Amino acid sequence: MMRLPSSWPWAIVFLLLVLPWLALVALGVFWLWQNHYLVTGLVILASFYGAATLLNHWLKHRQIEPFQLPDVQADERWSPAAQDIWDELDKLIEELNPGDYPLTDSARLLQLAQQVIRKVARHFRPRAGKAELDIPLRNILFITEQVSRDMRQLLDEKVPFSHLLTIDEGLKLWKWKQRLEKGHFIYRMGRMLLSPTTAIPAELSGFFQGKVAQYPRGLLEQWLLRTLVKKTGYYAIALYSGQLAPPVLAESEPQPGLAPEMKQPLRILVVGQLKAGKSSLINAMLGELRAAAHVLPLTDELTVYKLKQDDSGEVLIFDSPGYGDESHWFEKEPERALGGFDLVLLVCSATQAGREADAQFLTDLRNWFDQRLHRSMPPVLAIVTHIDQLRPLREWQPPYDLQTPQNDKARNIREALETVAEALHIPVSDCIPVSLQTGANYNIDAIWTALADKWPESKRAQYLRCLPEGRSKEKLRLIWTQMANLIRI
């Protein structure tokens, strides 16, 4: 009996599927030739493929930025604890399957919002049994109002015709979307029959991409779901961290926002060892010794000076007593001494070899803030004094280029800065060399420049420091308003 070759199934497929298409192509070419359109058709076809080839080549060698819908960003004034839970919410969003939370299922979306609020609440109040319920009802209503308001604004601004579509029309569009998906399935089956050589690799690619990839997630659907989670998380973080400021009862149209910054002066602490030059530094910065008016010091040991600046308001400079290896004034009241400032100037003498006391102060300061993640540690600048007394002693001809030292004096100053930076574990750029000779101060302007660079960090530390006081005043003001309304009733 005669055996058929192993390739006969493909031959049959070729005869049934490919030959008819080739016949149609041949008939089309014959018709063009018969009507004298063959040359014109070939020119048009060549032009089309040539333009497509050039466009494809251009796209391959050009990076086109994808269209990006607006994202919800964290607040710059948040504490480290708030930033940590915000990062966890980012991970939660990446793990979400949009197929599990269709935009038409309000119950599922509500469960997702509750999950976000519960996660944030337990992060800030891990010891509470039901932390998400440990807040006033008015705050829950407020956060719901703000998320709804922000989502409405985003839809109005970013989604065309969202203000015209009704819910019923939206549901109809969703049904049509599902029907089109079924039509796409029929198209896939037809492609499998007509062109298996191209359809099978495409189907295998879709299979290996996993179940999540098979769900038709549109860009708009992903963005709306992500925005809902991040908006809910944003206000939940502000709420449970104590930074959310609900509107007063008298406001007709409450606006969302964080608690306003307290109108308090920025507090700068000047610390250092005995005879490091703290008082001389303050005199050089202020120009003259100024006693503070109506200002209570944080501790009995601190002396307060007030500096008025037109652009940044009042600044209080606290002169502290010098400490040694055994006596540490800040250990008496660490809550107020370490946590009561927004910027620290650590004065170090370039001629002193011992840095243990300075390192101990910074260690206590860092440990204090590491245990209070709702606060932000103030920036620290090391002011290296007495650089004019470094070797060679008789050589003092400022200014000096410390980036590329040209003489022994400049090299010794640079070495002193590096030694201080290494001992205190701070960048060399945060170490500022100065000379406080009477009537011949040097490099004081560099201190003000460094203070300006650290100003955003200082304002953040000030905001988080003043936040509890602002919340207390808000509670008292609200109670007073409620009692006044009750008396009227």
Side-chain angles (χ1 to χ4, degrees), residues 239-452:
L239 179 64
Y240 284 94
S241 64
Q243 299 186 46
L244 191 64
V248 296
L249 298 178
E251 290 182 350
S252 57
E253 295 183 359
Q255 299 294 327
L258 297 180
E261 296 185 15
M262 299 295 297
K263 294 182 179 180
Q264 291 191 3
L266 198 76
R267 297 174 180 266
I268 299 179
L269 175 64
V270 180
V271 295
Q273 299 186 47
L274 296 169
K275 299 182 180 181
K278 299 185 301 300
S279 299
S280 299
L281 174 65
I282 294 176
N283 290 339
M285 292 178 63
L286 300 181
E288 59 178 330
L289 197 62
R290 305 180 185 180
H294 306 292
V295 177
L296 296 177
L298 292 181
T299 65
D300 296 336
E301 290 91 351
L302 296 176
T303 304
V304 190
Y305 304 96
K306 181 186 295 184
L307 176 63
K308 180 67 176 181
Q309 291 185 324
D310 296 335
D311 54 346
S312 54
E314 290 184 348
V315 176
L316 298 183
I317 300 180
F318 291 80
D319 185 12
S320 62
Y323 50 72
D325 295 335
E326 298 181 357
S327 59
H328 299 147
W329 62 270
F330 50 85
E331 293 180 348
K332 298 179 181 179
E333 295 183 73
E335 183 73 24
R336 303 175 66 187
L338 298 177
F341 303 98
D342 311 313
L343 189 142
V344 176
L345 297 182
L346 181 54
V347 184
C348 303
S349 175
T351 59
Q352 288 180 337
R355 303 290 174 203
E356 293 80 6
D358 297 326
Q360 182 62 45
F361 168 77
L362 280 185
T363 299
D364 292 350
L365 183 68
R366 292 175 178 132
N367 291 339
W368 193 90
F369 281 95
D370 287 343
Q371 298 171 6
R372 295 162 178 83
L373 294 180
H374 63 283
R375 292 285 304 275
S376 178
M377 178 175 166
V380 178
L381 292 174
I383 311 300
V384 183
T385 60
H386 302 150
I387 60 171
D388 53 293
Q389 300 179 18
L390 294 174
R391 297 179 180 275
L393 298 178
R394 295 183 179 180
E395 179 185 327
W396 178 244
Q397 296 178 350
Y400 293 99
D401 183 7
L402 301 183
Q403 299 299 325
T404 56
Q406 301 296 326
N407 52 47
D408 292 340
K409 193 75 168 184
R411 281 190 287 270
N412 289 336
I413 295 176
R414 176 69 184 185
E415 183 179 351
L417 297 181
E418 294 175 349
T419 302
V420 171
E422 182 180 359
L424 303 182
H425 302 287
I426 61 176
V428 179
S429 57
D430 289 342
C431 300
I432 304 173
V434 298
S435 174
L436 303 175
Q437 295 182 12
T438 304
N441 295 326
Y442 167 67
N443 217 27
I444 301 300
D445 291 343
I447 299 179
W448 291 114
T449 302
L451 290 177

Side-chain angles (χ1 to χ4, degrees), residues 102-103 147 171 173 216 231 259 264 308 326 438 454 477:
L103 300 179
V147 173
L171 292 175
L173 288 176
K231 278 291 182 182
Q264 291 191 3
K308 180 67 176 181
E326 298 181 357
T438 304
K454 297 294 184 181
R477 185 200 53 76

Side-chain angles (χ1 to χ4, degrees), residues 66-252:
F67 175 71
Q68 295 290 340
L69 287 167
D71 195 12
V72 183
Q73 302 296 332
D75 193 278
E76 296 180 353
R77 298 180 295 178
W78 276 353
S79 63
Q83 187 62 51
D84 289 342
I85 187 60
W86 183 258
D87 295 338
E88 292 186 19
L89 292 181
D90 276 335
K91 297 179 182 178
L92 173 65
I93 292 173
E94 298 299 330
E95 298 173 356
L96 286 180
N97 181 8
D100 296 336
Y101 299 96
L103 300 179
T104 54
D105 192 343
S106 58
R108 293 290 297 160
L109 295 179
L110 180 59
Q111 291 178 3
L112 178 60
Q114 291 174 343
Q115 178 184 354
V116 173
I117 295 176
R118 189 179 303 112
K119 190 178 186 68
V120 174
R122 292 178 179 176
H123 176 79
F124 283 100
R125 303 178 184 178
R127 298 181 181 178
K130 293 184 177 180
E132 62 274 15
L133 302 180
D134 190 22
I135 52 174
L137 176 61
R138 68 186 295 269
N139 289 357
I140 287 291
L141 297 176
F142 179 65
I143 188 175
T144 304
E145 176 186 2
Q146 300 315 316
V147 173
S148 301
R149 176 180 178 272
D150 290 354
M151 293 295 294
R152 175 184 61 79
Q153 288 184 343
L154 287 172
L155 286 174
D156 288 344
E157 296 174 0
K158 305 300 180 182
V159 181
F161 308 111
S162 60
H163 63 294
L164 301 177
L165 290 176
T166 63
I167 297 178
D168 181 63
E169 291 169 343
L171 292 175
K172 291 179 180 179
L173 288 176
W174 189 268
K175 292 179 181 179
W176 273 107
K177 177 178 179 292
Q178 295 176 341
R179 292 176 184 176
L180 291 176
E181 291 169 4
K182 294 180 181 179
H184 179 67
F185 174 76
I186 297 174
Y187 159 74
R188 288 163 53 198
M189 293 297 99
R191 184 179 63 172
M192 182 72 72
L193 294 175
L194 296 176
S195 181
T197 56
T198 58
I200 291 177
E203 293 297 323
L204 289 176
S205 175
F207 174 78
F208 284 111
Q209 287 178 0
K211 182 179 179 181
V212 176
Q214 295 175 3
Y215 178 77
R217 298 173 298 170
L219 176 63
L220 180 61
E221 299 169 74
Q222 293 182 12
W223 174 68
L224 286 174
L225 187 63
R226 179 184 182 90
T227 303
L228 175 64
V229 173
K230 300 199 78 171
K231 278 291 182 182
T232 304
Y234 179 91
Y235 287 110
I237 290 173
L239 179 64
Y240 284 94
S241 64
Q243 299 186 46
L244 191 64
V248 296
L249 298 178
E251 290 182 350
S252 57

Side-chain angles (χ1 to χ4, degrees), residues 10-63:
W10 293 106
I12 295 177
V13 172
F14 179 80
L15 291 175
L16 294 179
L17 298 178
V18 179
L19 281 182
W21 290 103
L22 293 177
L24 289 175
V25 172
L27 290 175
V29 172
F30 176 75
W31 182 87
L32 291 173
W33 173 79
Q34 190 177 23
N35 291 274
H36 307 286
Y37 292 143
L38 182 60
V39 176
T40 304
L42 292 176
V43 171
I44 294 175
L45 186 64
S47 302
F48 173 78
Y49 278 103
T53 302
L54 292 176
L55 179 61
N56 183 45
H57 179 76
W58 179 74
L59 291 175
K60 286 183 178 180
H61 293 80
R62 180 179 176 86
Q63 294 183 352

